[in-house]
Amino acid sequence: MGKLFGLVGHPLGHSMSPLMHNTEFKELGLPHHYQPFDLKKEELEEGIKALRLLGIEGFNVTIPHKVSIIPLLDEVEQEAMEIGAVNTVYRKDDLLIGANTDGQGYLQSLLKLIGEDSLIDKKILVVGAGGAARAVAVSISRSGVGSLTIANRTLEKAEELCRVCSTYADVNAIPLDTASSSLETYDIIINTTSIGMSPETDRVPLPVKGIKDETVMSDLIYNPLETLWLTQGREQGAITANGISMFVEQGALAFEKWLGIKPDRYRMQETVLRKLGGL
Ligand code: NAP
């Protein structure tokens, strides 16, 4: 029998998730459907009650509800609690369980990019300390990392995130301009800020001058497919990657939680890239 899945957020106009999941259901011959549920802040509580009554099997959560959804759920996984946000909800019997696949999705995409199975000997700089940074930094720390530095415009937010991660790793927080003058220190630099995202594509989160040869530069942004920061890094000899693989991986991990089967990540990536004009 067909099962109902969905995406809860506001606004949802440009989300790629419905296309990615519905295409995968179809390709796998599954009769399921993934539906956007555009809920404003004041509609969230009633909306979740309605989704329970509809017997929804699972859903993704996006801006602005990733934090406010937490008290409306029956249980939340520990990693999602540490991140402080839920992006995936699945059903266990009649309970709705919150999880976060953004961080694990990012971690898996990074390991694939560097062709290794651990970050234990890597020095990593995370730029930003917002929602996406929390997922990335917590999951990287939990997996084991050589050292992690978090740089943010608002230093207090980086310091707070540092406290959460310090249970698992050697972490420190620095201001953005300090990061810019110590780039040779890092093996991997991750931009989790929105700087460079369309339509403000002429901006960079930090310079690339000073990075060492073959630094891995990873931008969570995928619109545009190559930010100005990544272009500058590539021209300087960095190994660069955009946020598409994180997006696909977080969706694939959610799919696995909902259905217990592995979707075809390569096909999911093709679906997204085709839509974004990258194929
Ligand atoms: P967020 O919670 O609003 O955080 C934004 C971050 O950017 C904060 O650290 C903020 O610093 C910093 N920032 C914004 N404007 C800045 C400026 N002018 N100068 C310096 N710092 C600035 O947003 P988010 O949810 O973390 O999302 C961040 C980015 O990640 C977005 O581009 C989003 O599309 C992308 N993302 C991608 C994926 C994926 O699957 N690839 C998933 C999630 C998010 P302050 O703390 O100082 O304000």
Side-chain angles (χ1 to χ4, degrees), residues 128-132 152-154 157 192-195 197 203 220 243 247:
N152 195 44
R153 174 178 61 179
T154 311
K157 279 169 70 180
T192 72
T193 76
S194 45
I195 303 171
M197 191 166 74
R203 301 181 58 225
L220 265 54
F247 176 73

Side-chain angles (χ1 to χ4, degrees), residues 17-154:
S17 294
L19 174 72
M20 183 171 76
H21 286 291
N22 282 325
T23 305
E24 201 50 24
F25 291 153
K26 199 170 161 195
E27 291 286 348
L28 291 170
L30 299 169
H32 309 324
H33 184 66
Y34 187 104
Q35 166 91 32
F37 296 100
D38 193 323
L39 296 175
K40 298 195 186 91
K41 281 184 184 173
E42 61 277 14
E43 297 169 335
L44 183 66
E45 194 170 344
E46 288 305 310
I48 298 304
K49 280 185 195 157
L51 290 179
R52 281 182 192 268
L53 288 174
L54 278 172
I56 195 156
E57 194 67 23
F59 52 96
N60 289 124
V61 185
T62 189
I63 288 170
H65 304 316
K66 285 186 177 184
V67 178
S68 46
I69 189 88
I70 291 177
L72 306 177
L73 300 173
D74 302 305
E75 282 173 28
V76 175
E77 292 182 357
Q78 189 186 343
E79 185 161 345
M81 282 310 283
E82 287 174 357
I83 291 168
V86 160
N87 82 322
T88 298
V89 176
Y90 59 96
R91 228 178 49 186
K92 195 168 76 183
D93 303 323
D94 275 340
L95 302 181
L96 289 181
I97 318 288
N100 191 307
T101 63
D102 279 335
Q104 283 301 321
Y106 180 77
L107 177 64
Q108 295 312 320
S109 71
L110 180 61
L111 293 172
K112 218 176 283 176
L113 173 69
I114 64 172
E116 295 182 31
D117 55 15
S118 161
L119 300 171
I120 205 71
D121 61 349
K122 301 288 186 243
K123 291 187 170 175
I124 298 187
L125 171 66
V126 167
V127 184
R134 290 189 66 88
V136 166
V138 168
S139 296
I140 282 177
S141 301
R142 287 174 62 108
S143 83
V145 60
S147 76
L148 178 64
T149 300
I150 303 166
N152 195 44
R153 174 178 61 179
T154 311

